[in-house]
Amino acid sequence: TQQWVCLQCGYNMIGEMPDVCPFCGARHDRFMAWDVAENTYLVTAQPVNDVVSQLLSVPKLGLEHAAYRIETADGAVWIDSPSAFNRTLAPVQSILFTHHHFLGASNQYRRFWNAEVWLHEQDARHRLVSLFDIDRRFGGDFNHRGIEAYHVGGHAPGFTFYIYQDVLFICDYVFLTASGLRFNPFGPDSQTRKQAQRIYQIVAGKALKIVCGYNYVANFADWLPGFERLLAVT
């Protein structure tokens, strides 16, 4: 199957190569065939704690949206998916997505491992998802292999964050910058801010230690005050 990876953003395009990336608009001279990308980018795991690891490409691939592997008692699960397909990675049983913007090479991993791909039903209807196989279109909060899933919307209609034990997987709902946290600007600002209140209501009462973002790992005790300051800004 033809598949192309955008070197600017990491989006995977299935089928005939388009003239521009449907996600970021980069021209086709910034695309790489998936099999060339497999031999160019090594998806590398960095431990977060004893059961969670962060997956990033070496060298960095575009925007480099990190994925996370969780070793649950009932099997391995990914939160989001790497952009590059590496068949040498250890398999997982499920791939749970936070939202539809970075589906990565999930279709290839799904087929290679017979893994189940989960995405909220509202995001699964988006045009960017049309060529990707989604096995479970969930509609609300759920628990999967001990992983707590909370649908909040906001940044994307189906945005869902996850908690496993003492780790929060917030993805790109908020960016961590040199000046502190800020909301993801690529989405509806008012809804992003509004639904952040529900995130706070859920996480403030949890005994969390680590926050896993789309390109960072932070201590929850340091992250939460920054999140509170964002909520206080009108």
Side-chain angles (χ1 to χ4, degrees), residues 187-202:
D189 182 69
S190 60
Q191 278 297 105
T192 298
R193 291 178 177 275
K194 177 184 176 183
Q195 295 308 110
Q197 295 287 347
R198 179 165 189 255
I199 296 175
Y200 180 74
Q201 291 169 2
I202 295 169

Side-chain angles (χ1 to χ4, degrees), residues 15 26 30 63 80 84 95 97 99 110 120 150 159 209 222 232:
R30 294 287 293 149
L63 294 177
D80 296 326
I95 305 173
F97 278 102
H99 61 311
R110 173 188 178 274
H120 192 278
Y150 298 95
F159 193 95
K209 294 182 179 178
D222 299 326

Side-chain angles (χ1 to χ4, degrees), residues 65-68 79-81 96-102 155 159-162 168-176 181-182 184 199 211-217 223:
H65 183 288
Y68 292 90
I79 305 296
D80 296 326
S81 172
L96 308 181
F97 278 102
T98 54
H99 61 311
H100 65 282
H101 289 161
F102 291 94
H155 168 57
F159 193 95
T160 302
F161 74 90
Y162 300 91
L168 166 64
F169 300 89
I170 197 64
C171 189
D172 62 353
Y173 205 96
V174 288
F175 294 169
L176 179 60
L181 292 179
R182 69 183 182 98
N184 189 329
I199 296 175
V211 180
C212 291
Y214 90 101
N215 67 349
Y216 65 87
V217 174
W223 182 91

Side-chain angles (χ1 to χ4, degrees), residues 74-117:
D74 297 320
V77 175
W78 274 357
I79 305 296
D80 296 326
S81 172
S83 291
F85 176 65
N86 282 186
R87 69 194 73 208
T88 56
L89 290 174
V92 297
Q93 283 69 51
S94 311
I95 305 173
L96 308 181
F97 278 102
T98 54
H99 61 311
H100 65 282
H101 289 161
F102 291 94
L103 297 180
S106 60
N107 61 311
Q108 293 173 303
Y109 289 112
R110 173 188 178 274
R111 184 169 61 249
F112 191 56
W113 295 330
N114 195 30
E116 280 194 336
V117 173

Side-chain angles (χ1 to χ4, degrees), residues 20-225:
V20 298
C21 173
F23 185 79
C24 74
R27 289 189 53 78
H28 58 78
D29 59 358
R30 294 287 293 149
F31 300 168
M32 181 180 285
W34 72 268
D35 52 341
V36 179
E38 181 180 12
N39 292 314
T40 304
Y41 296 96
L42 179 65
V43 180
T44 305
Q46 296 293 331
V48 173
N49 63 15
D50 291 343
V51 294
V52 176
S53 55
Q54 183 189 60
L55 302 176
L56 290 169
S57 296
V58 178
K60 182 179 178 181
L61 203 174
L63 294 177
E64 195 58 55
H65 183 288
Y68 292 90
R69 179 185 176 93
I70 305 174
E71 305 290 348
T72 79
D74 297 320
V77 175
W78 274 357
I79 305 296
D80 296 326
S81 172
S83 291
F85 176 65
N86 282 186
R87 69 194 73 208
T88 56
L89 290 174
V92 297
Q93 283 69 51
S94 311
I95 305 173
L96 308 181
F97 278 102
T98 54
H99 61 311
H100 65 282
H101 289 161
F102 291 94
L103 297 180
S106 60
N107 61 311
Q108 293 173 303
Y109 289 112
R110 173 188 178 274
R111 184 169 61 249
F112 191 56
W113 295 330
N114 195 30
E116 280 194 336
V117 173
W118 296 54
L119 180 68
H120 192 278
E121 59 183 0
Q122 292 187 58
D123 283 357
R125 296 195 293 263
H126 196 278
R127 61 178 180 80
L128 291 176
V129 186
S130 61
L131 296 179
F132 287 83
D133 292 310
I134 309 300
D135 301 291
R136 298 290 187 97
R137 301 184 177 212
F138 57 87
D141 301 348
F142 63 92
N143 188 297
H144 176 67
R145 301 178 188 265
I147 301 169
E148 302 168 32
Y150 298 95
H151 170 239
V152 292
H155 168 57
F159 193 95
T160 302
F161 74 90
Y162 300 91
I163 293 175
Y164 184 70
Q165 296 179 352
D166 57 5
V167 183
L168 166 64
F169 300 89
I170 197 64
C171 189
D172 62 353
Y173 205 96
V174 288
F175 294 169
L176 179 60
T177 69
S179 58
L181 292 179
R182 69 183 182 98
F183 287 121
N184 189 329
F186 302 102
D189 182 69
S190 60
Q191 278 297 105
T192 298
R193 291 178 177 275
K194 177 184 176 183
Q195 295 308 110
Q197 295 287 347
R198 179 165 189 255
I199 296 175
Y200 180 74
Q201 291 169 2
I202 295 169
V203 304
K206 300 280 188 180
L208 300 173
K209 294 182 179 178
I210 301 171
V211 180
C212 291
Y214 90 101
N215 67 349
Y216 65 87
V217 174
N219 291 324
F220 182 74
D222 299 326
W223 182 91
L224 186 61

